[in-house]
Amino acid sequence: MAKTLMIIDDSATMRKIIMKTVRMSGLEFERTEEAGNGAEAIQKLQASSVDIVLCDINMPEMNGIEFVKQARQLDCIKNTKIIMVSTESAQDLIDNLMSSGANGFITKPFTPERFQEKLAPFMN
Amino acid sequence: MIEQLMVDQTILDAAREVFETMIFMDIEVSPDSNPTIEGTTLLGSITFRGALDGCLTICLSEAAARSIAANMLGVDNEGEIDEVAIADAIGEVTNMTMGSIKHRIQNVYPDIQVSIPTVIAGKQLYPKPGPDFNRGMVAATLNEKYPITLTLFFKQTNLS
């Protein structure tokens, strides 16, 4: 069954770059949504959920850490796989995010191979 | 002197990682340590606080910035890219380069908080921090064509 994806990043350019890199990785999605921060993402996901979310951390209004915490308390999003995509790389932060409910972490700068590696397990 | 070389090398290694992985451009140290950037200049900057306080700036021409944005977005016709997307792309390059620097020094300085990047455009833009800041600087060339300077201003704090 085809999967659906949401990209959350406050930079429209970075959302396009992530989309381009996902395509280069060979992964295909039936539908792709975008949001500029965690609050906008939750609003959109409550209206129409997706299978996988790629989420930045440092964003205005609602950052990625708060997004993960809130998402895991909502029935419509609790089964969505959330992969963080960020320049942050401190192990404490990654551990904190994973224990809050994130399913993976991709560090910027990234490659198509990295998306393939991290997303492929959730495609079946 | 050795510390200065290490700072400069850290900046260069971080920039190489970003430019070669995501922008598909070569970056090589320029023989001219203070290259002239003609015409409209873009200055991307990002500040950081913690055990080190400071700022990373990336300075380059509008033409270089447009070429970077085109490569990042996978657009063949550079003329299609508007100024907002160009500024956004340079902000992301600044953000990712700072992220890579932070990653490289996190064993020594683990608690550094980074701001959201800003980008300004103008003529003859030069970053000027306070007098108590140390400075690392790399003057380089992108794809043997475009001059670019990356400057890291920093000072240790009492959190060090």
Side-chain angles (χ1 to χ4, degrees):
Chain A
M1 189 178 157
K3 298 290 182 184
T4 51
L5 175 74
M6 175 179 277
I7 299 168
I8 312 172
D9 198 302
D10 54 319
S11 161
T13 301
M14 184 49 73
R15 295 198 297 268
K16 286 180 189 166
I17 292 164
I18 291 172
M19 195 62 248
K20 182 192 81 168
T21 311
V22 167
R23 278 197 213 101
M24 287 168 71
S25 75
L27 300 170
E28 290 182 8
F29 291 89
E30 181 185 41
R31 175 170 59 89
T32 308
E33 302 281 341
E34 292 185 19
N37 60 60
E40 185 189 344
I42 284 182
Q43 211 170 30
K44 286 187 173 179
L45 288 167
Q46 283 179 314
S48 176
S49 189
V50 298
D51 300 300
I52 298 173
V53 165
L54 296 171
C55 184
D56 187 20
I57 294 177
N58 296 324
M59 295 180 288
E61 201 162 336
M62 183 192 290
N63 66 26
I65 301 166
E66 190 58 31
F67 167 76
V68 172
K69 287 178 182 168
Q70 291 205 19
R72 288 308 180 224
Q73 291 176 11
L74 295 169
D75 282 344
C76 60
I77 317 174
K78 68 180 182 189
N79 293 323
T80 296
K81 304 301 180 190
I82 304 174
I83 315 293
M84 310 308 291
V85 183
S86 177
T87 56
E88 298 285 349
S89 57
Q91 195 57 49
D92 286 356
L93 176 68
I94 296 172
D95 292 345
N96 183 21
L97 280 161
M98 298 300 274
S99 64
S100 294
N103 301 93
F105 201 98
I106 295 172
T107 308
K108 296 175 188 171
F110 45 68
T111 60
E113 291 75 21
R114 193 80 174 131
F115 276 96
Q116 169 70 29
E117 176 196 334
K118 292 290 181 180
L119 269 60
F122 303 126
M123 295 299 285
N124 296 320
Chain B
M1 184 65 180
I2 291 172
E3 278 188 13
Q4 182 65 53
L5 290 174
M6 286 173 65
V7 173
D8 293 352
Q9 189 63 46
T10 300
I11 298 168
L12 181 62
D13 290 346
R16 276 215 172 104
E17 183 184 16
V18 172
F19 279 93
E20 292 177 3
T21 306
M22 291 200 55
I23 312 174
F24 314 110
M25 291 176 109
D26 293 326
I27 180 166
E28 294 298 337
V29 174
S30 168
D32 181 355
S33 62
N34 194 15
T36 305
I37 296 173
E38 304 284 354
T40 301
T41 302
L42 271 74
L43 185 73
S45 65
I46 191 164
T47 59
F48 52 89
R49 299 195 68 178
L52 286 179
D53 280 3
C55 171
L56 172 72
T57 67
I58 296 181
C59 191
L60 70 179
S61 68
E62 187 185 32
R66 187 175 288 279
S67 185
I68 287 169
N71 278 23
M72 286 175 85
L73 293 166
V75 174
D76 291 331
N77 182 2
E78 291 182 7
E80 287 176 14
I81 304 170
D82 63 31
E83 287 177 5
V84 173
I86 292 170
D88 212 12
I90 299 308
E92 282 302 328
V93 170
T94 309
N95 185 33
M96 287 189 289
T97 306
M98 186 62 230
S100 183
I101 290 171
K102 185 180 159 185
H103 179 67
R104 288 163 200 277
I105 64 173
Q106 69 183 5
N107 286 342
V108 185
Y109 302 107
D111 294 317
I112 290 177
Q113 307 297 317
V114 177
S115 73
I116 289 172
T118 58
V119 180
I120 57 170
K123 304 269 187 195
Q124 296 181 319
L125 299 175
Y126 301 104
K128 282 186 182 167
D132 52 341
F133 280 84
N134 301 296
R135 189 182 82 157
M137 181 179 164
V138 172
T141 308
L142 294 173
N143 278 3
E144 301 179 349
K145 186 175 179 184
Y146 301 113
I148 179 172
T149 57
L150 300 100
T151 311
L152 187 75
F153 297 101
F154 61 98
K155 64 178 177 185
Q156 292 202 348
T157 68
N158 54 13
L159 297 175
S160 303

